[in-house]
């Protein structure tokens, strides 16, 4: 799995927004990198530990010529898997089911229908379309209907909002 595939698998947990999932992944990686650069260990329970390791200077061999060379001291990142991760990978422990993404918030068609009916009684087509597109927030419907017929608006909007409230709950 590469980074793009990882982000795609996380997107359902961010309301199908790959942009938000990518941002979250970038923040996690950046935080781990910055902590390791400071020399701090990053321990994630049931996953593992990221740490910075100092490697001493040593002698090595050039594979082409066979001559001995001096290798400089360096600092390397190291990941140590946790006991739990090792058990899951080896098959000794079963993995729990993956968390399900939060249900998507979808506008109910009932709301649009009620708004259209209410607005058609007192408003022209342009206002009806605007109100229906906004999925019936009270303020939008009230403003749209009041512009056209202020006297009828109160009664029509109250009825529409009551119907939406009953069907929505």
């Amino acid at each position: 799995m590469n980074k793009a595939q990882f982000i795609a698998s996380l997107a359902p947990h961010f309301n199908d927004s790959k942009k938000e999932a990518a941002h979250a992944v970038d923040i996690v990686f950046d935080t781990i990198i910055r902590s390791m650069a400071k020399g701090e260990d990053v321990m994630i329970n049931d996953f593992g530990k990221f740490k910075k390791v100092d490697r001493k200077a040593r002698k090595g061999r050039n594979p082409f010529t066979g001559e001995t060379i001096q290798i400089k001291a360096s600092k390397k990142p190291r990941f140590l898997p946790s006991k739990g991760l090792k058990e899951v990978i080896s098959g000794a422990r079963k993995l729990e089911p993956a968390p399900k993404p939060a249900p998507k918030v979808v506008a109910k068609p009932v709301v649009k229908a009620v708004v259209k009916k209410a607005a058609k009684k007192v408003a022209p087509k342009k206002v009806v379309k605007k109100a229906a597109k906004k999925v019936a927030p009270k303020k939008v419907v009230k403003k749209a209907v009041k512009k056209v017929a202020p006297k009828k608006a109160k009664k029509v909007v109250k009825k529409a909002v009551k119907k939406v409230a009953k069907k929505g709950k």
Side-chain angles (χ1 to χ4, degrees):
M1 174 182 281
N2 62 25
K3 187 175 177 181
Q5 292 167 333
F6 183 60
I7 290 168
S9 69
L10 290 178
H13 296 279
F14 291 92
N15 293 327
D16 288 331
S17 172
K18 285 186 180 180
K19 187 176 181 181
E20 287 180 26
H23 184 67
V25 168
D26 289 339
I27 289 171
V28 170
F29 290 161
D30 183 61
T31 305
I32 291 171
I33 291 168
R34 288 179 189 278
S35 297
M36 288 177 63
K38 290 179 190 173
E40 299 173 6
D41 292 348
V42 179
M43 176 67 180
I44 301 172
N45 292 338
D46 288 333
F47 185 68
K49 184 177 189 178
F50 297 93
K51 65 187 220 173
K52 182 177 173 182
V53 178
D54 294 326
R55 296 185 73 183
K56 296 178 182 177
R58 63 193 190 282
K59 290 184 180 181
R61 246 199 183 124
N62 184 335
F64 295 111
T65 62
E67 81 178 85
T68 305
I69 56 172
Q70 186 66 27
I71 300 171
K72 295 179 184 177
S74 63
K75 297 175 190 223
K76 304 284 182 190
R78 181 169 290 160
F79 175 72
L80 301 169
S82 70
K83 182 181 175 186
L85 179 61
K86 288 179 186 177
E87 289 173 353
V88 169
I89 300 302
S90 70
R93 185 175 109 193
K94 290 191 177 185
L95 199 58
E96 297 170 7
K100 294 182 180 179
K104 296 177 189 175
V105 178
V106 179
K108 295 183 180 180
V110 176
V111 175
K112 284 188 178 184
V114 171
V115 172
K116 283 182 180 180
K117 283 182 183 177
K120 278 183 183 178
K121 290 180 182 177
V122 292
K125 287 182 181 179
K126 287 182 183 178
V127 178
V128 173
K129 285 180 182 177
K130 283 183 183 177
K133 281 182 183 177
K134 299 269 184 165
V135 193
K138 292 179 186 179
K139 290 179 183 178
V140 174
V141 177
K142 285 180 182 178
K143 284 181 183 178
V145 177
K146 280 183 181 178
K147 284 181 182 177
V148 181
K151 290 181 182 177
K152 292 183 181 179
K154 288 181 183 176
K155 291 179 185 177
V156 174
V157 170
K158 281 183 183 177
K159 285 181 184 178
V161 170
K162 283 181 184 177
K163 284 182 182 179
V164 170
K166 285 180 184 177
K167 292 180 181 182
K169 292 179 182 177

